[in-house]
Amino acid sequence: NEYKSYLSYGQDLFFSFVRRTSHLISKTPLINTLRTMSDEAPVKSASQLKKEAARKAKMEKFQKKQEALKAKEAAAAAKKEAQPQKPAAAAKPAITEYTFNHPVGHKKDVSGEMPSAYSPKYVEAAWYEWWEKSGFFKPEYGRDLTKKNPNGTFTIMIPPPNVTGVLHIGHALTNAIEDAVVRRSRMSGKTTLLVPGCDHAGIATQVVVEKKLRNEKNLSRHDIGREAFNAEAMKWKDEKQKTIYHQLRRMGGSYDWDRACFTMDPKMCKAVTEAFVRMHDKGLIFRSNRLINWSCTLKSCISDIEVDKVEIKGRTMFRVPGYADPVEVGIIEEFEYCVVGSDDRVTVATTRLETMLGDTAVAVHPDDDRYKHLHGKSVFHPFRKCEIPIVTDAFVDKEFGTGAVKITPAHDFNDYDVGIRNKLPFVECINDEGLITDVVPMFAGMRRFDARVAVRRALEELGFYGQLKPHDMVVPVCQRSKDIVEPLLKPQWFVNCKDMANRAVEKVKNGELKIVPNYFEKTWYSWLDDCRDWCVSRQLWWGHRIPAYKVTVGKTPSDDLDGKYWVSGHSKDEARVKAAARFNVDPSEIALEQDPDVLDTWFSSGIFPFSVFGWPDPSTDLKTFYPGSLLETGHDILFFWVARMVMMGLELMDDLPFTEVFLHPMIRDAQGIKMSKSLGNVVDPLDVVHGITLQELHDKIDNGYLQQKELIRAREGQKRLYPKGIPECGTDAMRFALCSYLTQARDLNLDVLRVEGYRKFCNKMWNASKFALMQLGPEYKPPPADTMTTPGGLGTESALDKWILHRANVAITETNKGFEDYLFQHCTTAIYSFWLYDLCDVYLESTKRVFYKGEEREQEAARSTLYTCLDIGLRLIHPFMPFISEELWQRLQRRSEGDTPSLVVSPYPTSGVWLNEDIDNEMKFVKSIIHTARSVKDAYLDSKAKPEVYLLSEEGELLAPYIDCIEDLIGCSKIHLNVKPPIGTAVDTVGNRCEVHVLVKGLVDPQQEIERLSNKKDNVEKQVSQLQDKIDKYTVQVPEAVREASKVKLASLQGEVATIDVAIENFRKLMT
């Protein structure tokens, strides 16, 4: 009825509008119809008229009230104007930035007033430069590296970021984890080193520099030559490395910058050459003509990690660089070969029809009865006009397709193995450019995907083409060029990994190398148990040029594929001497030509753990810091980088490069989507630190490197994820958030906007510390450390003091255990809980009474306890929040003049003597009482009300020391312990240990509350009835999930009715 009344009212308004305005609009049929409808508006019922009259009366009453209120406000304003006005005090500007005249590298001045609220700009200013200049990040600080440290050594290297661009939020995760571990190790007294660096990233950097050249100068690398191109790449590297190092500093990473390395620095080049020459001389590196992943766009071999496996579901049009129209993929095509000397035909199927031009056999399973009569026979190739054999091979799946498979050894990895086993010829039908070779003149020079269509038509004309069908498949796509990867036969340099891989497997099995999470051990074994030879050649200009030389003796031409004609050396002269000795001729008869290719980037990265310390030259650093302690990286490069470091470390150093590997999850956006520049979900960590508007996010990606379609999609992604931009969060909040998200899973869905919540946590810490410093006072002198770390402490601590010290001890224990087990979420949870729920919510709130009204000895104990908790809390959180912890710690008084100058090099907390389970159990009981009393209070009273509370418990002696705490945290006027409660209390219980009575009589109108609750109950019961009717009418067609959801909702509504009944009954009791 109420709905109909509103509908009628709406009709009145609408038709009134039509009557008054239709004369202003041309007299169309629609207007005439509306006018007619308005003239014929339905007659209202008596009920509707009554409700309208009530609404009108209510509105008139409201308007009178508003007029009276306005008159009252006008009178008050007139009275105020008549009084003499005091000049308004100037508002004190909020301090948000550190604006002191501060020399770079000098210690920050914290003697001034603390800003009223936390500001990341203020807090994070100046500290890093002082830390770096003071040498706190260097392992030499305070110790001699030639002497053994009894606390041990901790060494870790940054996974060197690529100089292709700036760091993203995934790098921020790596930095947050590594720096937390490093800072804690340094504070634990270990000789600690975190090595920074950057990787030259061969293919990736060459691609972006080529794009830059093309966009800015319309030039290709071939236009300017190899030397000039590498100079351009080096300029790019200098620019990006500077930005990367700035980002790492801004994120608080405690790196030893004097040991920073770039993978193409002179000492690194020397190490790469040494590694190649040693392994080549030993026979581990060899030259061979094999099938590799080839990018026709880049005109280079690429590694498996640079190939994206794109899943295709059925017929799909796929964009390929260099083709105006999309290429059709997700199909399988059948055609026939004629059996020589027979009328039989063999049907084969392929997803790459153009490769049939290079077929050299048809394979069948040896046990397939359908083809046994064809064993040893041949089929006729219709375009090459030659016979190719029918071979038997167990790799053929009898149940797939026709059971007969075309074999193209030069263009398919599986076929390559079949070709080797059956000694088939290797016919190359596609060249480096992706063009058809002259193996079949009628198709020569065609682009490979154009040839696919041409071959189909030619087969149709010959009557050999069968059919085309949709087919789910995986298309290999070059990560950098987005081109479809082509398997090609190429003479390349390979590393024999078999023995090295076996050693790497054994190190994990016997526990010498620990992988965390341990479920990645299975991945380790699956990759390394059958480790293939590693192709290390890349047809690029940017990178470590391979130190191998092709030898020509006199005028006799050399064979490129014969390893005998290749020598390696640290220099050309050394290589010439080697060649002369090999061929027993005078060096003057030797001509050398260096291989133009460069090494795979992973080769130089594989020796990074020891090349950074000057290997192969002996040094104190190499002796002290190799092997390292930990390798922390993403699980996606477990094989491509981690395994290769282990293999090359064992081979060249005869020792593991590290003893533990921690693999963090891959960061995805809040929706679980992989981060990509073209999707607009890649985040610069400094944008989280400083904040950024949506328009500024758009501007950052509009740099000419994304195609127009990608740019539009990226902007849409940014708008969807960050409609209001990203708020300023600060480095500390970002680091803490990233580590608090961290679990030992494969993926991490990060909502960047949630980081802001940890900025609010920083503000909570700031305000708590500010209050604590006010209570301590500028003249406060904390007791010596041993006073607070021996049983008994000051001897005057209250139960609450003892409890918070116990909670501090629990936080220390849980945090240290979390670090040891690489459970960083446990660390952040323990620290967060101590600061927020124990220190701020309970202890500080409860000790205000002590500081304002307590006796001197109580205040002294509270100050010492508070100082100790602040000191512990700031030390605990420092590895995760280095800036705010240093800022607040520097404002604390020192226990002695000999204390460390910075939190960076101060001791990390270890479990003390404050464990007190009895006190903790008592406090759990107390907090249960507080929670119960608050619930009762919230159910009956306004939040500002301060009722009296009566506690009835047989454990009154236990509760007595906590009465003040209970009173303050409930927010009541007085606590009565074991005093009979008067009439008019609302009651609840804490198990069978305590009755909690809250006096609400006189603070609430029971009758009014009963009426309100009764109306609410009527509404909920109506919903119950409607839902029950709906459930009763369900047919068998209604899904089970819908039935269950309805039952759950019904139970919830019925529970709400029961809760309302209890509340009504409680209010009725108040009326008796």
Side-chain angles (χ1 to χ4, degrees):
N1 288 334
E2 187 176 0
Y3 170 78
K4 290 177 181 177
S5 176
Y6 280 123
L7 181 60
S8 176
Y9 183 60
Q11 287 175 337
D12 288 348
L13 289 176
F14 176 67
F15 290 130
S16 174
F17 168 77
V18 170
R19 279 193 291 267
R20 293 178 183 180
T21 61
S22 60
H23 68 282
L24 301 174
I25 310 171
S26 60
K27 295 184 178 181
T28 62
L30 173 62
I31 292 299
N32 291 331
T33 302
L34 290 174
R35 185 184 290 112
T36 302
M37 289 173 62
S38 67
D39 292 337
E40 298 173 1
V43 178
K44 296 172 184 174
S45 66
S47 174
Q48 289 172 331
L49 291 170
K50 183 179 178 181
K51 287 185 178 180
E52 277 189 24
R55 277 198 304 272
K56 186 176 179 181
K58 191 173 182 181
M59 179 59 70
E60 288 174 353
K61 185 178 180 182
F62 173 74
Q63 287 174 344
K64 287 180 181 179
K65 280 187 178 180
Q66 289 296 103
E67 289 170 2
L69 183 62
K70 286 179 181 178
K72 188 176 180 182
E73 288 175 349
K79 184 178 179 181
K80 188 174 181 182
E81 284 180 15
Q83 294 175 347
Q85 299 293 313
K86 293 181 181 179
K92 193 174 182 180
I95 302 172
T96 59
E97 294 191 43
Y98 184 74
T99 55
F100 291 85
N101 185 14
H102 183 87
V104 176
H106 286 228
K107 186 176 180 180
K108 186 174 180 179
D109 184 358
V110 295
S111 60
E113 179 186 1
M114 283 182 73
S116 58
Y118 167 73
S119 165
K121 282 191 180 74
Y122 178 92
V123 168
E124 295 172 8
W127 288 120
Y128 195 93
E129 294 79 5
W130 176 60
W131 291 335
E132 188 177 342
K133 186 176 180 180
S134 300
F136 297 146
F137 301 158
K138 299 185 70 61
E140 294 92 344
Y141 182 82
R143 56 178 54 90
D144 183 352
L145 292 186
T146 61
K147 297 179 181 177
K148 188 173 182 180
N149 182 349
N151 294 319
T153 300
F154 186 86
T155 309
I156 182 172
M157 308 161 310
I158 186 176
N162 296 342
V163 292
T164 47
V166 299
L167 304 183
H168 53 66
I169 200 72
H171 295 102
L173 174 64
T174 298
N175 175 80
I177 297 169
E178 290 178 355
D179 196 51
V181 173
V182 163
R183 286 179 181 269
R184 187 244 183 184
S185 295
R186 187 183 291 118
M187 294 173 76
S188 298
K190 295 180 181 180
T191 303
T192 303
L193 174 62
L194 174 54
V195 182
C198 281
D199 196 294
H200 65 279
I203 287 180
T205 302
Q206 179 157 315
V207 168
V208 295
V209 175
E210 284 193 85
K211 278 186 179 179
K212 184 173 183 287
L213 268 178
R214 185 168 58 252
N215 291 343
E216 295 179 0
K217 301 179 181 179
N218 197 27
L219 294 172
S220 73
R221 62 184 167 108
H222 299 286
D223 292 330
I224 64 175
R226 184 168 190 154
E227 186 175 342
F229 177 79
N230 280 338
E232 288 290 327
M234 193 60 76
K235 287 180 188 176
W236 173 277
K237 165 259 170 184
D238 291 341
E239 175 189 335
K240 296 305 175 184
Q241 181 173 271
K242 182 179 179 181
T243 301
I244 289 168
Y245 285 174
H246 167 71
Q247 287 178 295
L248 291 173
R249 284 181 165 96
R250 190 63 191 82
M251 291 189 290
S254 56
Y255 301 93
D256 182 354
W257 292 105
D258 292 337
R259 288 180 168 89
C261 283
F262 173 57
T263 51
M264 286 176 62
D265 284 344
K267 73 173 183 179
M268 308 296 275
C269 292
K270 180 179 180 180
V272 169
T273 300
E274 177 69 24
F276 186 94
V277 171
R278 281 196 195 185
M279 295 173 75
H280 182 239
D281 288 346
K282 193 174 178 179
L284 289 175
I285 292 181
F286 61 94
R287 192 166 177 83
S288 180
N289 192 37
R290 297 189 181 182
L291 212 58
I292 47 86
N293 296 312
W294 183 263
S295 168
C296 298
T297 300
L298 300 177
K299 297 179 181 60
S300 174
C301 168
I302 58 176
S303 67
D304 289 341
I305 198 173
E306 292 158 332
V307 178
D308 290 332
K309 306 296 193 297
V310 180
E311 293 187 9
I312 301 295
K313 299 292 184 183
R315 298 181 74 165
T316 303
M317 302 309 291
F318 196 89
R319 285 281 177 189
V320 178
Y323 288 78
D325 298 321
V327 172
E328 187 174 29
V329 295
I331 56 173
I332 189 166
E333 301 180 77
E334 294 180 357
F335 68 94
E336 297 173 331
Y337 275 121
C338 295
V339 178
V340 176
S342 167
D343 293 333
D344 289 342
R345 290 188 178 188
V346 177
T347 301
V348 295
T350 179
T351 57
R352 300 162 64 218
L353 187 60
E354 67 279 6
T355 63
M356 67 83 60
L357 301 175
D359 284 359
T360 58
V362 171
V364 298
H365 195 280
D367 299 330
D368 193 335
D369 294 335
R370 294 173 294 175
Y371 298 109
K372 283 191 175 180
H373 66 291
L374 298 180
H375 290 188
K377 294 190 177 183
S378 299
V379 296
F380 187 75
H381 197 291
F383 300 125
R384 298 213 312 272
K385 308 298 183 185
C386 64
E387 295 182 16
I388 59 176
I390 297 173
V391 299
T392 59
D393 198 292
F395 109 97
V396 177
D397 182 356
K398 294 186 292 183
E399 306 305 320
F400 181 76
T402 64
V405 181
K406 62 183 282 299
I407 303 298
T408 320
H411 295 284
D412 184 275
F413 288 101
N414 289 325
D415 293 1
Y416 176 87
D417 294 334
V418 175
I420 294 293
R421 286 195 294 270
N422 292 276
K423 298 179 181 178
L424 299 174
F426 286 67
V427 175
E428 299 177 52
C429 62
I430 301 173
N431 67 14
D432 296 0
E433 308 281 339
L435 305 177
I436 302 300
T437 65
D438 59 3
V439 64
V440 178
M442 66 183 290
F443 301 111
M446 284 188 182
R447 298 184 303 174
R448 51 186 168 150
F449 297 118
D450 293 339
R452 178 177 295 180
V453 178
V455 169
R456 183 185 303 142
R457 288 173 182 165
L459 287 170
E460 286 174 340
E461 290 174 4
L462 294 172
F464 296 145
Y465 189 77
Q467 61 178 328
L468 180 152
K469 297 185 292 187
H471 178 67
D472 294 350
M473 61 185 292
V474 173
V475 175
V477 176
C478 175
Q479 199 176 75
R480 305 300 174 184
S481 67
K482 307 306 177 186
D483 190 12
I484 293 180
V485 172
E486 195 65 49
L488 292 186
L489 206 57
K490 288 283 181 185
Q492 305 281 285
W493 292 100
F494 291 86
V495 178
N496 182 342
C497 297
K498 186 176 180 181
D499 291 340
M500 291 189 290
N502 289 339
R503 290 183 71 185
V505 166
E506 187 57 33
K507 292 295 182 182
V508 173
K509 286 184 176 178
N510 65 23
E512 292 181 57
L513 178 62
K514 180 182 177 183
I515 298 176
V516 181
N518 60 8
Y519 57 77
F520 282 111
E521 289 180 7
K522 185 177 179 181
T523 307
W524 183 267
Y525 299 142
S526 67
W527 277 337
L528 295 180
D529 280 339
D530 185 26
C531 189
R532 294 190 172 194
D533 294 335
W534 168 23
C535 176
V536 292
S537 299
R538 297 292 181 269
Q539 289 64 48
L540 305 170
W541 287 357
W542 174 248
H544 293 277
R545 192 166 175 183
I546 295 175
Y549 302 82
K550 186 167 71 172
V551 179
T552 301
V553 182
K555 295 183 179 181
T556 306
S558 56
D559 183 358
D560 184 53
L561 298 180
D562 189 343
K564 182 178 70 173
Y565 289 96
W566 285 89
V567 294
S568 61
H570 300 86
S571 66
K572 197 169 186 178
D573 290 339
E574 180 185 312
R576 180 174 281 106
V577 172
K578 281 185 176 181
R582 178 177 297 175
F583 291 99
N584 196 26
V585 298
D586 190 270
S588 61
E589 296 183 44
I590 297 294
L592 298 176
E593 179 186 354
Q594 187 174 359
D595 192 326
D597 294 350
V598 301
L599 286 165
D600 179 11
T601 300
W602 297 109
F603 190 90
S604 55
S605 299
I607 63 172
F608 195 75
F610 44 95
S611 61
V612 294
F613 300 125
W615 181 88
D617 298 329
S619 67
T620 302
D621 273 8
L622 188 61
K623 183 179 179 181
T624 305
F625 301 117
Y626 190 90
S629 309
L630 173 69
L631 188 281
E632 192 283 330
T633 190
H635 65 75
D636 57 325
I637 53 174
L638 176 60
F639 174 71
F640 299 102
W641 187 42
V642 182
R644 284 166 178 166
M645 282 191 287
V646 170
M647 290 192 290
M648 295 184 81
L650 291 171
E651 174 59 34
L652 296 170
M653 298 293 292
D654 197 30
D655 204 349
L656 285 166
F658 30 75
T659 54
E660 290 185 300
V661 176
F662 176 70
L663 302 169
H664 67 243
M666 304 309 298
I667 287 193
R668 297 177 179 271
D669 70 15
Q671 280 75 46
I673 300 170
K674 183 179 179 182
M675 291 193 171
S676 167
K677 291 178 183 176
S678 62
L679 295 177
N681 57 0
V682 172
V683 179
D684 181 339
L686 296 196
D687 291 341
V688 181
V689 172
H690 302 306
I692 189 171
T693 66
L694 178 61
Q695 184 57 52
E696 288 170 334
L697 284 171
H698 289 343
D699 294 342
K700 289 186 75 168
I701 61 173
D702 192 11
N703 54 17
Y705 298 123
L706 287 178
Q707 296 178 1
Q708 189 60 30
K709 285 186 177 180
E710 291 178 325
L711 188 61
I712 292 171
R713 184 170 60 171
R715 285 178 174 173
E716 288 173 351
Q718 289 177 332
K719 188 175 181 179
R720 173 175 50 83
L721 290 167
Y722 318 113
K724 297 180 181 179
I726 300 173
E728 179 193 30
C729 298
T731 295
D732 287 329
M734 181 182 70
R735 288 170 56 125
F736 197 85
L738 288 169
C739 290
S740 67
Y741 260 99
L742 199 60
T743 62
Q744 293 187 357
R746 290 181 177 270
D747 295 305
L748 184 160
N749 295 353
L750 175 66
D751 182 354
V752 172
L753 301 181
R754 278 187 59 187
V755 178
E756 189 180 15
Y758 290 100
R759 174 182 169 155
K760 294 174 181 175
F761 171 56
C762 289
N763 194 58
K764 188 82 172 179
M765 286 175 56
W766 184 264
N767 290 335
S769 300
K770 188 175 181 181
F771 169 80
L773 289 168
M774 287 172 58
Q775 303 315 314
L776 294 176
E779 304 302 321
Y780 175 70
K781 180 66 178 176
D786 56 0
T787 303
M788 297 303 294
T789 55
T790 53
L794 293 174
T796 55
E797 288 86 2
S798 68
L800 200 61
D801 294 333
K802 293 175 182 178
W803 171 78
I804 194 64
L805 290 171
H806 166 81
R807 296 307 303 166
N809 202 92
V810 170
I812 292 169
T813 302
E814 291 180 357
T815 302
N816 281 315
K817 188 174 189 311
F819 269 115
E820 295 300 326
D821 296 337
Y822 298 107
L823 296 172
F824 299 100
Q825 192 180 55
H826 290 196
C827 300
T828 55
T829 299
I831 295 169
Y832 185 90
S833 296
F834 172 70
W835 268 97
L836 194 62
Y837 304 130
D838 297 336
L839 187 60
C840 293
D841 288 356
V842 176
Y843 187 73
L844 288 182
E845 290 299 321
S846 300
T847 52
K848 287 178 181 177
R849 181 194 294 258
V850 175
F851 289 127
Y852 297 153
K853 303 177 182 178
E855 297 178 3
E856 178 58 33
R857 63 181 184 81
E858 293 176 320
Q859 292 182 350
E860 181 187 1
R863 287 192 189 96
S864 296
T865 301
L866 181 55
Y867 178 94
T868 299
C869 288
L870 275 181
D871 184 52
I872 289 170
L874 293 172
R875 291 174 194 262
L876 273 182
I877 206 168
H878 178 73
F880 301 102
M881 290 186 166
F883 293 104
I884 189 173
S885 56
E886 183 76 90
E887 176 83 24
L888 295 173
W889 189 79
Q890 290 290 349
R891 293 176 183 272
L892 279 178
Q893 295 87 342
R894 295 289 168 267
R895 292 191 188 274
S896 67
E897 294 297 325
D899 276 0
T900 55
S902 169
L903 202 50
V904 176
V905 288
S906 67
Y908 200 69
T910 54
S911 298
V913 296
W914 308 306
L915 276 178
N916 193 327
E917 294 295 340
D918 292 338
I919 287 281
D920 198 41
N921 289 329
E922 289 176 7
M923 196 61 189
K924 286 177 182 176
F925 179 35
V926 169
K927 288 168 76 176
S928 297
I929 292 172
I930 294 167
H931 174 75
T932 302
R934 280 177 171 176
S935 297
V936 173
K937 178 184 169 186
D938 292 344
Y940 288 90
L941 302 173
D942 181 83
S943 60
K944 295 180 181 178
K946 287 187 172 292
E948 293 184 37
V949 175
Y950 294 77
L951 303 179
L952 302 180
S953 175
E954 294 181 359
E955 301 177 72
E957 189 175 339
L958 182 155
L959 293 176
Y962 299 100
I963 291 300
D964 289 345
C965 170
I966 295 171
E967 182 178 308
D968 292 336
L969 295 183
I970 291 175
C972 60
S973 59
K974 189 175 182 180
I975 294 287
H976 302 274
L977 180 59
N978 287 333
V979 174
K980 183 179 178 181
I983 296 172
T985 62
V987 64
D988 201 350
T989 61
V990 180
N992 60 357
R993 300 179 69 183
C994 183
E995 288 183 15
V996 179
H997 296 257
V998 179
L999 184 60
V1000 298
K1001 191 171 185 179
L1003 298 174
V1004 65
D1005 183 343
Q1007 185 59 46
Q1008 186 178 349
E1009 289 300 312
I1010 289 171
E1011 289 177 7
R1012 180 182 66 81
L1013 289 170
S1014 296
N1015 290 334
K1016 184 176 181 181
K1017 179 184 175 183
D1018 290 343
N1019 184 41
V1020 176
E1021 285 181 332
K1022 190 182 295 183
Q1023 294 179 55
V1024 170
S1025 177
Q1026 291 171 348
L1027 185 57
Q1028 186 64 64
D1029 289 344
K1030 186 178 177 182
I1031 292 172
D1032 293 341
K1033 294 175 183 177
Y1034 277 156
T1035 63
V1036 293
Q1037 284 79 15
V1038 176
E1040 185 62 31
V1042 174
R1043 294 169 182 268
E1044 282 301 315
S1046 296
K1047 289 178 182 177
V1048 170
K1049 186 176 180 180
L1050 180 64
S1052 174
L1053 291 170
Q1054 289 170 337
E1056 191 174 351
V1057 170
T1059 302
I1060 293 172
D1061 282 338
V1062 171
I1064 290 173
E1065 183 60 29
N1066 287 335
F1067 279 116
R1068 282 180 177 148
K1069 289 178 182 177
L1070 296 178
M1071 299 173 67
T1072 59

